[in-house]
Amino acid sequence: MRAASMLNVPAILAIYRFEMARFWRTALQSIVAPVISTSLYFVVFGAAIGARMQTIDGVAYGAFIVPGLIMLSLLTQSVSNAAFGIYFPRFAGTIYELLSAPISPFEVVLGYVGAAATKSIIIGLIILATASLFVPLHIEHPIWMVFFLLLTALTFSLFGFVIGLWADGFEKLQLVPLLIVTPLTFLGGSFYSIDMLPPFWRAVSLFNPVVYLVSGFRWAFFGKGDVAVGVSIVATFAFLALCLGLVTYIFRTGYRLKS
């Protein structure tokens, strides 16, 4: 692939539109399923737990779990969409057409990651709208909320892109989202505050990178988080830099691009 001095916008848009078209073709699975899941979370957590746990840090429990619900879907959808988007051309053999096209690695990443991030942001906003039907919501820092939403979607779409290049089978494609990302999100304070944990387990939780994402996102909603918002921003940018470094390494070495 060539090293382009200027962006090949038509090529980027072609990849982006193709991936978005696939998203809309599977709207029932892509959009309706997250809405149903969100409703079930509110029925289970809001009714069963919320009745016994009225507030956390002065925030009604039903509203408290909204940022965690959005982050749970945002992380899993970003990773899954980006991973499948780049893995399928490798599986079908059409990756060779992409490799021989006049498009740079950076443009390939822009197309696939941009589409994956867009999909997860759409789902995140739909979940936010669904949550507002169950509990009254007031977003204290809306600009920061959008910032965390965009940055998290972009970061984990890049992470998913790396997984899609690393995986050599559909089993591995689902391995990281199901066995790593989802458990880390549940244990990252999505449905509780880590300050509620005993000191030892709170210290252990601080090694979970998702804690910083959830905390920063929750701060944007309520002005309160488990860690300082500055630390959340730094941690997110650090993970973004790591993913960018991995993608750069993969394209420079050609690691598994053709397998």
Side-chain angles (χ1 to χ4, degrees), residues 18 24-25 35 44-45 54 66 87 102 105 114 117-118 129 136 141 143 151 172 208 212 214 235 238 252:
F18 178 82
W24 294 118
R25 284 197 303 269
V35 172
V44 174
F45 285 91
Q54 297 296 326
V66 171
Y87 174 78
T118 302
H141 305 288
I143 295 178
L151 187 61
K172 284 189 176 180
N208 181 353
Y212 302 93
V214 174
R252 281 183 177 177

Side-chain angles (χ1 to χ4, degrees), residues 176-207:
V176 174
L178 290 178
L179 299 183
I180 298 179
V181 175
T182 299
L184 286 179
T185 306
F186 272 95
L187 297 174
S190 296
F191 302 105
Y192 59 89
S193 170
I194 65 170
D195 289 334
M196 300 168 64
L197 300 174
F200 173 77
W201 290 111
R202 186 187 186 282
V204 171
S205 297
L206 293 177
F207 289 95

Side-chain angles (χ1 to χ4, degrees), residues 225-250:
D226 292 328
V227 297
V229 64
V231 177
S232 295
I233 294 173
V234 170
T236 306
F237 273 113
F239 192 61
L240 175 62
L242 175 62
C243 292
L244 285 172
L246 288 173
V247 170
T248 301
Y249 169 79
I250 286 171

